[in-house]
Amino acid sequence: SQTIHQWPATLVQPVGSPLSLECTVEGTSNPNLYWYRQAAGRGLQLLFYSVGIGQISSEVPQNLSASRPQDRQFILSSKKLLLSDSGFYLCAWRRQGERRYNSPLHFGNGTRLTVT
Amino acid sequence: QKEVEQNSGPLSVPEGAIASLNCTYSDRGSQSFFWYRQYSGKSPELIMSIYSNGDKEDGRFTAQLNKASQYVSLLIRDSQPSDSATYLCAVNYGQNFVFGPGTRLSVLP
């Protein structure tokens, strides 16, 4: 079975500090990978998605970046955090290789980031 | 701009009643539709997917899709207090998924 790991679970960082959140998927190969952010009381905002190693699509221009150094590893980074970066960050994966319209997203447990 | 709309709620129903959650979407090119449940402080978990017009049943849950009206709904029969959560509607556009803001459901004992 497939599992997705995301860490850390919670993080408190000062404004201007760097950020690195990591996500790995087990039990599947060549997944589509996604980073979403959910601000308090708000919906899910797609930040980045990747269909393969080194392939990153950005949905929202901001001070965040993403990388996919390995097939099942997805990293979200920032050089300098802003107060507005606070939120619940969710990594998700989706199976490739099946009929595309049958594949749902599966989420990790999320990282709650508070920028102070 | 692809949009997914939901009533934010809260929707309150008594235990044992049917809860009806609705979702509309803007792009007729959508192929796949999903319902997720999110408990407070937790990540979303998939509860239903639907791809064709009509109804799809899974236990106490029934998803309904009407592509002509660009409308998706979720019915929860025999609602339980453990069903109290936020329900997110998601629409798949190619590689992307657009989520609605969610409807908060409260099932009263």
Side-chain angles (χ1 to χ4, degrees), chain A residues 16-31:
Chain A
S17 64
L19 173 73
S20 180
L21 303 180
E22 188 165 342
C23 170
T24 59
V25 180
E26 295 179 355
T28 188
S29 59
N30 197 27

Side-chain angles (χ1 to χ4, degrees), chain A residues 11 13-22 35 37 47-48 60-67 74-86 89 113 115:
Chain A
L11 193 59
Q13 293 282 98
V15 169
S17 64
L19 173 73
S20 180
L21 303 180
E22 188 165 342
W35 280 111
R37 178 171 62 196
L47 301 176
F48 302 95
V60 182
Q62 53 201 333
N63 68 318
L64 300 173
S65 62
S67 62
F74 206 22
I75 298 171
L76 182 70
S77 303
S78 174
K79 293 182 179 178
K80 288 186 178 181
L81 284 169
L82 308 173
L83 284 174
S84 58
D85 291 324
S86 293
Y89 287 80
L113 171 66
V115 182

Side-chain angles (χ1 to χ4, degrees), chain B residues 74-87:
Chain B
L74 179 70
L75 300 177
I76 307 175
R77 291 182 300 281
D78 188 24
S79 295
Q80 301 297 309
S82 59
D83 294 325
S84 298
T86 297
Y87 289 81

Side-chain angles (χ1 to χ4, degrees), chain B residues 19-36:
Chain B
S20 178
L21 305 164
N22 304 316
C23 170
T24 59
Y25 59 96
S26 62
D27 193 320
R28 290 185 178 274
S30 309
Q31 295 286 345
S32 307
F33 307 86
F34 306 92
W35 283 99
Y36 287 82

Side-chain angles (χ1 to χ4, degrees), chain B residues 22-93:
Chain B
N22 304 316
C23 170
T24 59
Y25 59 96
S26 62
D27 193 320
R28 290 185 178 274
S30 309
Q31 295 286 345
S32 307
F33 307 86
F34 306 92
W35 283 99
Y36 287 82
R37 178 175 60 198
Q38 185 176 25
Y39 291 113
S40 180
K42 302 296 186 182
S43 62
E45 56 179 326
L46 178 71
I47 53 173
M48 288 287 288
S49 57
I50 187 166
Y51 315 107
S52 304
N53 280 330
D55 296 358
K56 179 182 178 182
E57 185 174 319
D58 184 1
R60 295 187 296 113
F61 299 97
T62 298
Q64 300 173 318
L65 174 61
N66 184 325
K67 289 188 177 181
S69 301
Q70 297 174 243
Y71 176 88
V72 192
S73 66
L74 179 70
L75 300 177
I76 307 175
R77 291 182 300 281
D78 188 24
S79 295
Q80 301 297 309
S82 59
D83 294 325
S84 298
T86 297
Y87 289 81
L88 304 174
C89 174
V91 179
N92 177 213
Y93 301 97

